[in-house]
Each structure stands twice: as C-alpha cells, then as structure tokens.
C-alpha cells in the first residue's frame, strides 16, 4: 500500500515519514545504527556542526518501478562522494556498506511513502554527517552522527521539461582550493544571498563562474552545467571547485555510449556561449533542467529556446529517467534494488 498523497502535485517540501536511520561515531568507530521514529536531534550546544560548519550531506532518490520493486540509483557513488567530503572536513568516513544499508533500511521502512510508478514522484533520501559532542575550540568534533531521512518529492517538471533562465553572479560559492568539491553546508550558506539576488530579478538561480578568473562557468545554482555544441558534442566544465555531480557523470556516459556523441570535460568560457545549440543543468533534485538563457552583465544569451526543450536534452532526459525507473536497461551496477520481502 502507498500513502494517499496527491502524488501528481507534490513539490520539494519536507513531509515527515515514519522512520529515519541514525548511527553514532564514538571512541574511533561507528555503531551499528538503528531506525527511529524521532525526527529531532538532541545535540551538545558546542557541537562543531553548529559553530564551525563541520558537516556534509548527500541527496539521492528511490524510484518505484512498473513491477512494484524499488530502485536506488548509483548509491555507491553517493557513498564515495560522502567519504571524500568527510576527508576534506576531517570527519570519519561512513563505510559504503553502512551508507547503503542505511539507505535501504530507510526506504524499506518507509516504502508506503514511495510514490506509485507513473506519477513521476520519488522518495528523496538525505544522508548527512555532523560533528557533535562537548567542545568550544576550533578542532574536529569528539563524536559524530550519521543519519539518513526520507521525504516524498514530486516530479520536478509537472508539464514536461520547461527551460529556466539564469543570471551570472558576481559572488563565489567556493574558493579555488576551498571546499567547492565537497558537498558541505558552508558552500550552500555562501550561496543563499547570491541566490536570493537572482530570484529577486526573476531568474531561477545564479550561475557561478570559476572563483580564480571569473571567466568560466562552474555551477548552475546547486546543479552542474552541460552544453550541446552546434556540432553535437556534449561539453561540461571541469574544475577543482565544482561538486562532481553523479547525474552529470551518468549523462556523460549516456551521451557517449547511447547517443554516440563526443563528450568533453573542459573549460566553458562565459563569453563563448555561441558554440552551444542547447544547454542544461543537472543534479538529483532537478534531474535535467534545460537552460533557456543566461544573463551576463547586459547581455542575455538564449540557447535553444526560452520555452521549449531542445531535442538532445530531451533524449538525455528520457534515457536517464528511463534507467532510474527501470524502464530502460541500466549500465552494470547503476541500479541497486531495495529488498522489500
Ligand atoms: C549535489 C550537488 C550537485 C548535483 O549532484 P548529483 O550527484 O547529480 O545530485 C551539483 N552541484 C552541487 C553544488 C551540489 O551540491
């Protein structure tokens, strides 16, 4: 049985589900972890997560297939990325086994919250690690919490793939050798103000350029950028301050292996957008958002269209979503089934 929600009209808002997973790190090791119904945390007032931003997070989704089974999409990649984020912030790694077990247990315990097949809605999973315990000085925490909670979310696009417009920000979300490549809250705290300025001007979000030279595209809000050149190449930026999107690396594979395109990870100069026939932003939450146009100073550059999705972006989207919901064959290892017994 699935819950009686208005699946077709769900947005991206918090809805309390029944269970979340929580594990604690103390005296050099993680405990087994357990499911709990309590959606609040009781932590020490000196916790490093509160004062010094010692925390990181992940985001992935559970997808209901036609046969009623439930898919996770590349959770091992989220586990690996969280291990890198933990390394960067001097937090203990969550082993891949613990990470995937936690995700599976949360999905299984909340399976009534996984939308029926065909609604486009999914169960969003939010794993995170925070530094906790008695402390006041700038140092790594004595204890840590790893938790995963779940929240049903709607299809990002209700009426088909609609393009959004973006504006180039004068601010940076990360420094050249800072924490841009780690999925940490600090980067998001830094992005709230530039994001607000963009939205006040009716843009969906802002585009961040490389923090060193401010000449190359790095991120589109909290998603990665890709462009389809007029000669049908898939190009996406490469930089040590970009957060490596798992969706982006999946699209690189799909573009090459299934669409037969040449794929390039390289520089995308903000003054050379004319080379592109289409552009998009990609990430777990937004899947693929077609980029209609980009405002840069006084110049507004339109890619394919401000109202219609381009043909290559559409094919990439259909292939990716088809794999995630189990309708199209997945490359080996991409789909992990949640045992529901
Ligand atoms: C999470 C995130 C993305 C998207 O990554 P996915 O693995 O595709 O969900 C892109 N940019 C930033 C800054 C992110 O935090």
């Amino acid at each position: 049985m699935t819950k009686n929600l208005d699946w077709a009209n769900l947005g991206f808002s918090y809805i309390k589900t029944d269970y979340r997973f929580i594990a604690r790190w103390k005296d050099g090791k993680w405990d087994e972890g357990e499911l709990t119904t309590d959606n609040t945390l009781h932590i020490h007032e000196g916790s490093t997560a509160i004062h010094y931003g010692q925390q990181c997070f992940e985001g992935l989704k559970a997808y209901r297939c036609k046969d009623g089974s439930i898919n996770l999409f590349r959770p091992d990649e989220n586990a690996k990325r969280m291990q890198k984020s933990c390394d960067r912030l001097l937090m203990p790694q969550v082993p891949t086994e613990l990470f995937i077990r936690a995700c599976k247990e949360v999905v299984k315990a909340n399976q009534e919250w996984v939308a029926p097949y065909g609604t486009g809605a999914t169960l969003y999973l939010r794993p995170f690690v925070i530094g906790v315990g008695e402390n006041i000085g700038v140092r790594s925490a004595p204890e840590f919490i790893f938790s995963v909670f779940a929240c049903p979310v709607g299809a990002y696009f209700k009426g088909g793939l609609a393009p959004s417009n973006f504006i180039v920000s004068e601010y940076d979300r990360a420094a050249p050798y800072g924490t841009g490549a780690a999925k940490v809250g600090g980067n998001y705290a830094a992005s709230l103000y530039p994001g607000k300025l963009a939205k006040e001007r009716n843009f969906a979000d802002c585009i961040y350029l490389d923090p060193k030279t401010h000449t190359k595209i790095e991120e589109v809000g909290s998603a990665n950028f890709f462009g389809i050149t007029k000669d049908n190449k898939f190009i996406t930026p490469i930089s040590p301050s970009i957060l490596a999107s798992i969706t982006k690396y999946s699209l690189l594979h799909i573009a090459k292996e299934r669409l037969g395109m040449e794929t390039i990870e390289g520089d995308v100069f903000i003054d050379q957008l004319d080379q592109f026939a289409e552009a998009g932003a990609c990430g777990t939450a937004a899947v693929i958002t077609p980029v209609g146009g980009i405002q840069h100073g006084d110049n507004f550059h339109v890619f394919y269209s401000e109202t219609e999705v381009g043909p290559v972006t559409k094919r990439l989207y259909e292939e990716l979503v088809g794999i995630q919901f189990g309708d199209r064959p997945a490359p080996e290892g991409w789909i992990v089934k949640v045992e529901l017994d």
Side-chain angles (χ1 to χ4, degrees), residues 188 205 218-225 242-243 245 281-283 286-287 289:
Y188 278 80
D205 210 329
E218 293 228 321
E219 298 258 7
V220 185
S222 50
N224 278 188
F225 177 88
I242 289 179
L243 191 282
S245 155
C282 60
V287 195
T289 301

Side-chain angles (χ1 to χ4, degrees), residues 57-60 73 77-78 81 124 173 180 182-184 187-188 208 218-225 241-250 282-287:
F57 68 99
E58 276 299 326
L60 68 162
F73 181 71
E77 292 295 326
N78 293 94
R81 189 169 67 191
Y124 182 76
R173 59 178 279 282
K183 205 168 179 76
V184 301
N187 300 337
Y188 278 80
Y208 295 101
E218 293 228 321
E219 298 258 7
V220 185
S222 50
N224 278 188
F225 177 88
S241 45
I242 289 179
L243 191 282
S245 155
I246 296 162
T247 313
K248 193 260 297 283
Y249 282 103
S250 304
C282 60
T284 297
V287 195

Side-chain angles (χ1 to χ4, degrees), residues 158-181:
K158 311 270 182 261
L161 280 172
S164 295
N165 293 332
F166 296 87
I167 181 168
V168 173
S169 180
E170 290 163 10
Y171 291 91
D172 298 317
R173 59 178 279 282
Y177 297 95
T179 54

